[in-house]
Amino acid sequence: MKKITEKNKLLSHINKAKKIVIFSHHNPDADAVGSSLALYLTLKKLKKNVHIILPNEFPAFLNWMPHSNKIIIFEKQKETSQQLIQKSDLIFLLDCNAFKRLGTDGLAELAQNSSAPKILIDHHRFPEKYFNAYFFNDKASSTCELIYQLVHHLKLEKNLDKKIAQCLYTGLITDTGSFKYDSVTPETLEIAAHLLKFKINHTYIQQQIFDTYSYNRLKLVGYALSQKLKYLKEYNTAYIALSQKELKSFNFQKGDTEGLVNYGLSIKDVVLSALITETDKMIRISLRSKGNLDVNEIARKHFNGGGHKNAAGGQLYIPLDDAIKTFENVVKSIRKK
Ligand SMILES: [Mn+2]
């Protein structure tokens, strides 16, 4: 499945619906939150009763986003979430390709088992086949880019406003590294240009996203780079592994390791970079690559995950030291010359 724009199906589902719930993935990022809010605000203008339910808390650096305080966090509001899902007559899943990406504490089942029609809007590869309608393109830079296109396909562009533009712009810049990744197309920049015409303060948005580190977070980055960065020169690979103990010593807050995986790629000959972190429940592995090296495939095959060609992630349920060994072995097997 490369690109599907079932605009007539989508429009008829939206026209019929009264109570809509929007979901996005576990550990929501700025594209998940931005696209959910932009769709929410658009549907509100169509006088729909609409709610966003996210599996768990989004990073605090997104608190400034318009209406972000209206987002329901399943982890904290299970009963409210359950009632909303039961009453809903249309479900959207955004920025992830399957309900299982809503996590493991019951939300995925609640959403998937609901009798409401289900629409997928996403840019991750290999979407599941059980949705009633799709707006999908794995070449799109972000789900925010897809929401912008959807709004136009449905001839709802007169509903675009400054708040929606702020939400969409946020997902665009975070999923493209401020317009530098491979996924950026002329259309991405045309969309960005149009969004700026709503007089959004793009410098403010950049600052809210990228310049809001705590002192501890910056110290953690310094420690990770100076003490923990491992360079496997002959395999053009760099990685950082951090234990719970190390993270706690920097008073780790959710989101503090965001972006850390990208530093490895800034080494000249590195084509594969990884961040391996120990959480309470598992070992998380984030992967980034340059050029044709497909980390989505590596994540799917070796780390129970997936994502995009140049950015993917997964998890392992083994001790940290074993996860590091596993990662090194995978690298040696795939980068063998
Ligand atoms: Mn995305």
Side-chain angles (χ1 to χ4, degrees), residues 25 29 31-32 95 122-124 141-143 175 308:
H25 57 83
D29 59 8
D31 189 33
D95 199 40
D122 189 30
H123 67 133
H124 294 83
S141 72
S142 53
T143 301
D175 263 28
H308 309 284

Side-chain angles (χ1 to χ4, degrees), residues 96-110:
C96 58
N97 57 9
F99 281 109
K100 63 177 182 234
R101 308 252 177 263
L102 296 179
T104 49
D105 63 351
L107 183 60
E109 289 75 16
L110 279 174

Side-chain angles (χ1 to χ4, degrees), residues 31-187:
D31 189 33
V33 177
S35 59
S36 297
L37 284 169
L39 181 62
Y40 165 92
L41 292 168
T42 308
L43 293 170
K44 277 263 178 205
K45 291 193 172 186
L46 303 178
K47 307 273 179 255
K48 303 292 179 183
N49 178 324
V50 41
H51 291 87
I52 300 171
I53 300 176
L54 296 178
N56 58 345
E57 202 72 70
F58 54 85
F61 63 77
L62 300 175
N63 283 342
W64 62 273
M65 291 185 81
H67 295 256
S68 62
N69 59 345
K70 301 268 166 44
I71 295 174
I72 293 160
I73 306 297
F74 177 69
E75 220 173 55
K76 292 201 227 151
Q77 295 165 270
K78 290 202 171 162
E79 237 166 76
T80 314
S81 305
Q82 209 163 348
Q83 283 164 7
L84 287 170
I85 297 166
Q86 250 155 32
K87 286 185 206 147
S88 69
D89 54 13
L90 185 60
I91 281 175
F92 281 94
L93 185 65
L94 266 52
D95 199 40
C96 58
N97 57 9
F99 281 109
K100 63 177 182 234
R101 308 252 177 263
L102 296 179
T104 49
D105 63 351
L107 183 60
E109 289 75 16
L110 279 174
Q112 194 169 353
N113 295 337
S114 142
S115 56
K118 297 163 189 79
I119 296 175
L120 182 77
I121 305 178
D122 189 30
H123 67 133
H124 294 83
R125 288 177 166 190
F126 311 119
E128 297 280 351
K129 302 251 157 68
Y130 45 64
F131 293 91
N132 299 85
Y134 292 82
F135 198 81
F136 175 85
N137 185 0
D138 63 8
K139 296 273 187 296
S141 72
S142 53
T143 301
C144 280
E145 181 170 321
L146 291 174
I147 296 289
Y148 177 93
Q149 291 168 351
L150 178 68
V151 165
H152 283 76
H153 274 304
L154 303 182
K155 305 215 181 318
L156 297 171
E157 56 267 44
K158 62 178 183 305
N159 293 299
L160 284 176
D161 62 14
K162 187 174 174 179
K163 282 181 183 173
I164 297 174
Q166 284 174 324
C167 296
L168 293 176
Y169 194 80
T170 302
L172 279 190
I173 60 167
T174 49
D175 263 28
T176 62
S178 298
F179 306 116
K180 75 176 173 199
Y181 298 157
D182 231 21
S183 57
V184 173
T185 61
E187 182 155 29

Side-chain angles (χ1 to χ4, degrees), residues 5 27 34 67 105 159 190 204 220 278 301 303 327-328:
T5 52
N27 293 329
H67 295 256
D105 63 351
N159 293 299
E190 278 160 17
Y204 171 82
L220 172 62
E278 184 184 33
K301 201 165 159 197
F303 304 117
F327 173 74
E328 288 204 2

